[in-house]
Amino acid sequence: MRGLVVILSGLMFMSSCGLFKKIFKKKPKQEESRTEVVMPIIGTIESRTQKVNTIQERLKVTMNTGGEEQTVTILLRYKRDSLLWFSVLGPMNIEVMRGIIRPDSFFVLNKFAKQVYYGSVSNLGNKYGITSVYNVINALLLGTIPKQTYKFEFMKDTLLLVDTAMNLTYGVNVNDTLLSRVYAFTGQSEYVLYIDEYKEVNAKERETIVLPSRWYMKTNGMELSIKQASVKVNHKLKFPFRIPDRYQKVPFNY
């Protein structure tokens, strides 16, 4: 169940080891408060993936919990801003979990325990300080950020875009305008996701799109290394999900 929590929420971020506090203690310089400096960069980030409607990925996820390491495969299908489906495969490619996240709710089948965990997306977001789950999913899978006005500052070669309403900060590499980090802060908890690598993906109409392909996270004593094994974009997808009658329904413990 601990790994499930990471899949639903920890996949978004990892512990920032105090860096987030340093960011918010440092006040942005006055000359950097002009939005016209930042909006072209945000537009460039958005334009790279604006034609992506669906994604299908196969991910290798290695979890390390205090020296104990485990690797699983996650099959992931995403219809932009509306539906996320995943299947977790254990040894010998046996499915151990299957989940779906809709705009208002999520369900996860634990096939070994014959249980289905369910809950509200808004409650999950409130627990981890996220008011828009799809903004975080888009950052994770597409490397995009919402197009809006941010407070911002520069730290060496990184542009920090601060969304004070959501307690989120996006770190963008100013050399290639690629999203490299996502910070979150809620209460006394701090999280950050690192996007370590991008790669070009062939889309329809002979287009090439650059998407994240390797991630790193750490949260609550658990480290995750995620690598993309395969990816397809803008293909017609199915999202098979059915709750067997014999499964025990268990509310998700936030």
Side-chain angles (χ1 to χ4, degrees):
M1 185 61 184
R2 192 178 182 189
L4 172 62
V5 175
V6 175
I7 291 171
L8 292 177
S9 57
L11 276 181
M12 316 299 184
F13 314 101
M14 81 167 201
S15 170
S16 64
C17 302
L19 179 58
F20 194 89
K21 290 181 179 178
K22 295 179 183 178
I23 293 172
F24 277 87
K25 284 182 179 179
K26 183 178 179 181
K27 296 181 179 179
K29 296 179 181 178
Q30 186 66 30
E31 63 267 24
E32 295 173 355
S33 62
R34 297 171 299 165
T35 57
E36 61 266 27
V37 176
V38 176
M39 293 310 291
I41 297 177
I42 296 175
T44 299
I45 296 171
E46 180 187 31
S47 65
R48 277 197 294 263
T49 59
Q50 61 185 359
K51 294 184 179 180
V52 176
N53 296 313
T54 65
I55 298 178
Q56 180 176 353
E57 293 187 305
R58 187 180 185 95
L59 305 173
K60 289 292 184 181
V61 181
T62 299
M63 297 176 285
N64 190 315
T65 55
E68 183 180 349
E69 192 171 278
Q70 180 181 6
T71 299
V72 298
T73 297
I74 296 181
L75 307 180
L76 189 145
R77 300 174 187 177
Y78 179 49
K79 184 177 181 180
R80 190 164 183 169
D81 298 328
S82 62
L83 193 62
L84 177 71
W85 176 98
F86 63 88
S87 172
V88 182
L89 307 181
M92 301 180 66
N93 286 328
I94 297 174
E95 186 179 53
V96 295
M97 286 186 183
R98 179 177 294 195
I100 192 165
I101 302 177
R102 300 186 176 113
D104 58 349
S105 59
F106 66 86
F107 299 85
V108 179
L109 298 178
N110 183 333
K111 293 200 166 184
F112 283 158
K114 298 295 188 292
Q115 293 178 326
V116 55
Y117 309 108
Y118 67 93
S120 163
V121 168
S122 60
N123 288 344
L124 181 66
N126 292 337
K127 169 67 175 179
Y128 295 97
I130 306 167
T131 57
S132 176
V133 171
Y134 286 113
N135 282 347
V136 179
I137 294 174
N138 288 336
L140 176 71
L141 300 182
L142 301 175
T144 63
I145 62 177
K147 191 174 183 180
Q148 62 185 49
T149 301
Y150 295 92
K151 292 183 178 179
F152 68 96
E153 62 176 300
F154 291 91
M155 292 183 66
K156 296 183 179 180
D157 60 350
T158 300
L159 169 64
L160 299 174
L161 302 173
V162 183
D163 183 344
T164 55
M166 290 182 60
N167 291 325
L168 283 175
T169 295
Y170 301 93
V172 178
N173 189 305
V174 296
N175 298 317
D176 53 21
T177 65
L178 293 177
L179 179 65
S180 58
R181 305 170 194 171
V182 181
Y183 304 88
F185 178 76
T186 172
Q188 299 300 315
S189 299
E190 302 169 8
Y191 307 88
V192 62
L193 157 73
Y194 288 96
I195 302 178
D196 286 340
E197 187 177 299
Y198 283 76
K199 76 174 183 180
E200 293 184 347
V201 178
N202 292 325
K204 293 184 178 180
E205 300 178 359
R206 298 183 180 180
E207 285 189 82
T208 299
I209 299 172
V210 178
L211 294 177
S213 60
R214 188 190 294 266
W215 305 260
Y216 175 73
M217 287 160 268
K218 182 179 180 181
T219 178
N220 299 328
M222 178 181 291
E223 296 182 5
L224 292 99
S225 176
I226 305 172
K227 183 178 180 180
Q228 182 189 87
S230 64
V231 59
K232 294 180 180 179
V233 299
N234 291 342
H235 286 249
K236 187 176 181 180
L237 301 179
K238 294 182 179 180
F239 302 88
F241 193 87
R242 184 181 65 86
I243 302 175
D245 294 336
R246 65 184 184 277
Y247 273 46
Q248 178 188 6
K249 296 182 179 179
V250 181
F252 188 79
N253 183 11
Y254 297 98

